[in-house]
Amino acid sequence: MNSSPNRLVAAHIWVAFIAFAVAAVMGAWQMLVRSPIDAPLETAETYFVSVTGHGALMAYVLPTLFVMGFGYYVAMTALKQPLPGLRWAWAGFYIAAIGIVMAVVTVLSGQATVLYTFYPPLTGSVFFYLGVLLVVVGSWIWVAVMITAMMKWKRANPGAAVPLAMFATVANAILWLWTTAGVGAELLFQVLPASLGWTDSIDAGLARTLFSWTLHAIVYFWLMPAYIAFYTILPKVAGGRLYSDTMGRVSFILFLLYSLPVGMHHLFMDPEHGSGFKFLQMMLTALVTVPTLLTIFTIGASLEIAARLRGGKGLFGWVRALPWDRPMVLAAGFSFIMLGFGGFGGLINMSYAMNSMIHNTSWVTAHFHLIFGGSVVIMYFAIAYHIWPKLTGREARSLTPIRVQLWLWFVGIVITSFPWHILGLFGQPRRVSSFDFANPEIAYWGPWTTVSAIGGFIMLAGAALFVWNLATLYRGAAADRTMSYAMAVHQPREVPRVLNGFGLWNTLVAVLMIVAYAWPIAQFFFLDTYPAPVQRVDVGG
Amino acid sequence: MSNGESPRPSDQDAVNRRWRLWASTGAGAIVVVAIVIGFFVISSRGEGGVTGALGLDHVHETPEAVAQTAAGALPTDVAWTAATLGLLEDADPEAGRAIAVQTCASCHGEAGIAVAAAFPNLAGQPATAIFKQLSDYASGHRVSPMMAAMAQGLTAAQMADLAVHFAAETPAESIVDANPPAAIVQLVVNGDPARGLPPCSACHSARGGPVGTPPLGGQPAAYLEQQLTAFAAGERGNDIYGLMRAVAGMLTPAEIAQLAAYYGN
């Protein structure tokens, strides 16, 4: 592998984590603004500028660029072939980079305080939406490169099983293509025309429906690198083998199937849809428990194999025998704990009835910070730590700062998000810049928000130490640059064709999407609708 | 499929057929169960029936539809569509002034300051608020024989002209009570969560509230008390979602009087 493809991977991951570091500062400051402690520059306007920036950077830039960079790396190392279309990949990177700068500058200048979820009829400067769209266009090039790489490998290795890491990466690429269709349509046909002044009204119901198409699947897109690490890196680092390759393939396929026709569980309280579709999509949402439980079983079994090979004994005593000093193992342990708590919280969110208790409260923000910021991002850290020696050619001088960083992040997210959940149960609304804690009705929220804000600053310390580690730690002994993935207990040479490609699964996704979304979207075109007048936030813009 | 047991190539077609069959059957069965429960079992227990499950009866909540479900009667014909707001944007305050001098001045004053405490001051009210009330008088959603006669003689464009004319006038000075009762300030600023009462200031604020909402400062206290009492009794019902009827219905007569005194002159 020459150095240019490595630079491609590193460039993506650096941009992802620089965006992450900037957004982490914003996040900690926002926690302070919502607490009884005075924050510098505290106004409602700066708060919503910050929330929009934090959301766009954390939700669009960090995961998209990380997934792209990691995907390019997997395509080269798992398939052991040069990356097809390297120039295209760089073009995608630069398109996304231009988009990021465009969107960030627009948000910071106060011209697009519409939050990362856009919320039409709120309408900001067109450069924010174009910036986000460019990031998506850049990522579509990545999708094309991933699919091309897999097809090329299959032609060169007829009948052979696509390595699980690559199979999962392509599953995520296809998932992403489906995912972006919803928000892409919303931006192209509704938001951009309004932002350009071509239309004076926008159908918020249709916009919310299209965004819901994207809003849940995007979460699984963020999550997939963590699962790829669980299945294909963690068992090897722990000193064992993957319990079942087939289980991995089935899980990734189920994620593709049941991440898409489920977004309406974000619209349980919306008036524009009937109860039938809400119930249907709730049931499909519940099916994500299947790949989740498959994964918990498979990874649990894989780790048990590793632990018993290391002399672990007892029904659960083997857990102690795992090499917890290795960052990947430590991070995965933390990730599982957070996934457990976050998953149970998620069951409440996706339940048509229980959702009404916590809808639009802090519970929801706490939930996605615990799941994404916690269990997913800690695996992004672990992946970066794992591949950095292979990219830079140098081992870390010490693992201690890495362990400290993972602990900081884990402790920080728990201290931030647990009280935050409780505040949601108290009824604290989300998307609110400040609270009057002098009011006796809500004065008791004060201590909880303060603890949560302290957690935010522990996370910020963890974020800063992470960037510091990545930038300065990898100057130790020369490293082996070969990336190898976990072998399965029964490593397949061949698998059934349906588990080696996506033809059948794409068809099923299409059928499920038609069932779940055809009527909810079509109704807007043949029932009388009353679009809302556009509300510009970029006054004079 | 037992783990890792690779089928021989000759078996591939049979294996694939089985996968296709069972994957499609599984996904299909789940969808069918969800449809049966979501569209038939649940909807048969609710009021909406299958049309409710499809979203046909509460989709696209026009003010009319909302009103019918919330309060059982049509509260207004005015919807804040781009067309309605455009009408106000294009309105001519000078044309409005000419009508005002002829028709409105005898009660509401030439500059929009009412001549008696039974009439509201119009000066400085949002154009949307004035326009909505005029439309509601004309359509009968707000009942007043006198105002109906006046409003029915106006076109929508003339109502818009009047609205922007009065909106541009200088509002009456608000006489602020130096020592308002603490319980009333509490109602205004925080509402009363125990009764489910939202704070008045959430909508009625000098900074502006939802479209069409009037600020209350500087109105005659007698007019405010009369309107709150009418909402409480259901005699006035042109409020979207029945919100003012619900709120006023939870207030005691004493609170109504004190709130009117708090906001009014």
Side-chain angles (χ1 to χ4, degrees):
Chain A
M1 200 194 303
N2 64 39
S3 68
S4 176
N6 272 353
R7 276 211 311 275
L8 177 78
V9 174
H12 280 83
I13 293 181
W14 266 123
V15 169
F17 285 127
I18 289 167
F20 160 76
V22 173
V25 175
M26 292 171 154
W29 177 82
Q30 287 156 217
M31 295 307 283
L32 209 55
V33 173
R34 283 171 62 99
S35 79
I37 305 163
D38 284 333
L41 306 172
E42 180 173 337
T43 65
E45 286 74 18
T46 50
Y47 178 81
F48 287 108
V49 165
S50 185
V51 175
T52 308
H54 176 84
L57 288 172
M58 288 297 199
Y60 295 141
V61 180
L62 164 67
T64 310
L65 273 284
F66 183 85
V67 168
M68 288 165 73
F70 183 46
Y72 289 134
Y73 187 69
V74 169
M76 291 184 285
T77 55
L79 300 182
K80 298 190 179 71
Q81 66 177 24
L83 192 68
L86 187 59
R87 280 165 189 277
W88 280 102
W90 275 112
F93 172 76
Y94 285 115
I95 290 172
I98 292 167
I100 293 165
V101 172
M102 209 172 182
V104 168
V105 168
T106 312
V107 169
L108 290 182
S109 64
Q111 298 293 298
T113 48
V114 295
L115 308 198
Y116 88 92
T117 37
F118 306 144
Y119 290 113
L122 288 183
T123 303
S125 160
V126 72
F127 294 107
F128 172 60
Y129 308 113
L130 283 178
V132 172
L133 208 55
L134 285 181
V135 175
V136 173
V137 169
S139 71
W140 283 341
I141 294 178
W142 169 80
V143 171
V145 173
M146 290 300 100
I147 294 173
T148 310
M150 187 178 85
M151 283 164 50
K152 201 176 151 201
W153 188 90
K154 278 176 140 182
R155 275 198 303 276
N157 302 272
V162 176
L164 182 59
M166 190 58 189
F167 182 80
T169 300
V170 175
N172 205 20
I174 291 171
L175 166 63
W176 182 236
L177 205 54
W178 278 101
T179 302
T180 48
V183 71
E186 181 199 358
L187 283 175
L188 282 178
F189 300 114
Q190 294 194 277
V191 175
L192 283 176
S195 178
L196 289 165
W198 296 348
T199 52
D200 55 6
S201 64
I202 190 163
D203 194 322
L206 175 58
R208 289 177 65 80
T209 309
L210 290 172
F211 199 82
S212 83
W213 168 309
T214 297
L215 191 51
H216 205 67
I218 198 174
V219 178
Y220 292 147
F221 168 75
W222 301 340
L223 186 78
M224 288 285 234
Y227 274 64
I228 293 172
F230 291 158
Y231 277 97
T232 69
I233 302 176
L234 174 65
K236 185 181 171 70
V237 174
R241 281 186 162 217
L242 173 63
Y243 177 72
S244 163
D245 179 273
T246 309
M247 212 78 110
R249 283 168 204 271
V250 170
S251 293
F252 288 113
I253 287 168
L254 287 173
F255 271 123
L256 171 61
L257 283 186
Y258 292 113
S259 58
L260 281 151
V262 303
M264 216 184 265
H265 69 239
H266 292 265
L267 304 180
F268 280 152
M269 304 301 264
D270 274 40
E272 71 271 15
H273 296 296
S275 56
F277 284 101
K278 289 174 179 171
F279 183 86
L280 169 71
Q281 295 209 15
M282 179 198 80
M283 256 196 78
L284 297 177
T285 308
L287 290 177
V288 80
T289 49
V290 179
T292 305
L293 293 175
L294 282 182
T295 300
I296 291 170
F297 176 80
T298 310
I299 302 309
S302 308
L303 291 177
E304 186 175 347
I305 292 169
R308 293 202 188 280
L309 285 172
R310 295 170 57 88
K313 300 265 182 280
L315 191 59
F316 294 107
W318 56 265
V319 173
R320 282 199 304 274
L322 284 168
W324 292 110
D325 57 331
R326 297 179 190 168
M328 175 63 67
V329 179
L330 182 65
F334 288 149
S335 180
F336 264 56
I337 294 170
M338 294 186 280
L339 206 56
F341 282 104
F344 280 112
L347 289 177
I348 291 173
N349 305 347
M350 61 132 262
S351 154
Y352 194 175
M354 285 192 283
N355 165 71
S356 57
M357 292 191 299
I358 47 84
H359 195 88
N360 267 345
T361 69
S362 290
W363 170 284
V364 180
T365 16
H367 166 76
F368 65 69
H369 280 83
L370 178 57
I371 284 274
F372 175 58
S375 41
V376 173
V377 169
I378 208 167
M379 292 308 293
Y380 289 5
F381 297 157
I383 291 168
Y385 287 138
H386 186 75
I387 68 175
W388 227 239
K390 301 168 201 317
L391 289 176
T392 61
R394 294 284 175 176
E395 294 290 351
R397 283 175 300 180
S398 158
L399 292 182
T400 309
I402 293 178
R403 289 183 207 118
V404 170
Q405 191 271 329
L406 293 173
W407 271 103
L408 271 178
W409 191 257
F410 172 69
V411 170
I413 197 102
V414 167
I415 294 179
T416 305
S417 65
F418 281 35
W420 208 356
H421 274 89
I422 293 166
L423 282 159
L425 292 177
F426 290 157
Q428 186 194 53
R430 63 189 286 210
R431 305 189 193 99
V432 170
S433 59
S434 61
F435 300 97
D436 175 15
F437 291 106
N439 183 338
E441 299 277 358
I442 61 165
Y444 69 103
W445 295 355
W448 295 90
T449 48
T450 305
V451 171
S452 196
I454 291 168
F457 279 86
I458 298 173
M459 288 173 76
L460 180 57
L465 183 55
F466 172 71
V467 174
W468 179 258
N469 283 348
L470 224 49
T472 66
L473 212 52
Y474 290 84
R475 291 173 191 169
D480 177 8
R481 301 183 77 137
T482 326
M483 173 73 184
S484 49
Y485 294 88
M487 300 284 280
V489 173
H490 301 281
Q491 183 66 14
R493 283 185 309 278
E494 283 183 357
V495 289
R497 269 202 309 275
V498 287
L499 296 184
N500 210 30
F502 295 93
L504 168 65
W505 312 115
N506 268 322
T507 312
L508 277 179
V509 171
V511 170
L512 288 171
M513 287 305 272
I514 288 169
V515 171
Y517 270 107
W519 168 257
I521 291 174
Q523 61 170 358
F524 290 98
F525 295 94
F526 52 79
L527 296 179
D528 285 339
T529 58
Y530 290 80
V534 165
Q535 309 280 331
R536 294 211 75 101
V537 299
D538 54 338
V539 180
Chain B
M1 184 84 267
S2 71
N3 171 49
E5 291 292 321
S6 307
R8 282 190 299 278
S10 54
D11 298 336
Q12 271 279 5
D13 286 342
V15 170
N16 277 314
R17 260 199 308 280
R18 268 207 310 278
W19 270 94
R20 269 200 300 274
L21 177 70
W22 286 109
S24 310
T25 310
I30 289 158
V31 166
V32 169
V33 169
I35 288 175
V36 167
I37 300 177
F39 288 87
F40 298 101
V41 177
I42 291 181
S43 65
S44 69
R45 296 179 187 172
E47 290 172 8
V50 176
T51 52
L54 275 169
L56 281 172
D57 61 351
H58 52 155
V59 94
H60 312 306
E61 303 241 326
T62 61
E64 295 89 333
V66 169
Q68 276 162 341
T69 50
L74 204 66
T76 184
D77 295 339
V78 179
W80 299 118
T81 60
T84 313
L85 294 173
L87 193 66
L88 287 166
E89 261 174 42
D90 299 339
D92 174 7
E94 285 311 311
R97 180 190 305 279
I99 303 168
V101 171
Q102 295 287 322
T103 13
C104 315
S106 55
C107 297
H108 294 287
E110 269 198 49
I113 308 295
V115 299
F119 309 125
N121 298 324
L122 302 180
Q125 286 285 324
T128 50
I130 301 171
F131 177 83
K132 176 174 183 298
Q133 298 308 318
L134 277 173
S135 302
D136 289 352
Y137 281 128
S139 59
H141 293 306
R142 184 171 177 183
V143 181
S144 158
M146 193 199 302
M147 281 307 299
M150 302 287 178
Q152 278 162 4
L154 299 169
T155 65
Q158 286 174 319
M159 292 180 196
D161 293 342
L162 275 169
V164 294
H165 157 64
F166 282 118
E169 294 291 318
T170 312
E173 200 185 334
S174 179
I175 302 167
V176 181
D177 189 349
N179 254 326
I184 291 303
V185 176
Q186 173 72 9
L187 269 184
V188 168
V189 178
N190 295 315
D192 183 0
R195 279 185 281 174
L197 271 172
C200 312
S201 61
C203 297
H204 297 285
S205 138
R207 288 172 299 151
V211 190
T213 313
L216 303 176
Q219 288 296 358
Y223 171 74
L224 291 178
E225 185 173 355
Q226 175 199 48
Q227 293 306 312
L228 275 173
T229 308
F231 275 128
E235 289 159 11
R236 179 173 168 187
N238 66 328
D239 50 335
I240 293 174
Y241 303 111
L243 184 63
M244 280 311 299
R245 277 166 286 177
V247 168
M250 283 188 276
L251 296 170
T252 64
E255 283 172 332
I256 286 179
Q258 285 175 306
L259 281 169
Y262 173 86
Y263 276 110
N265 288 344

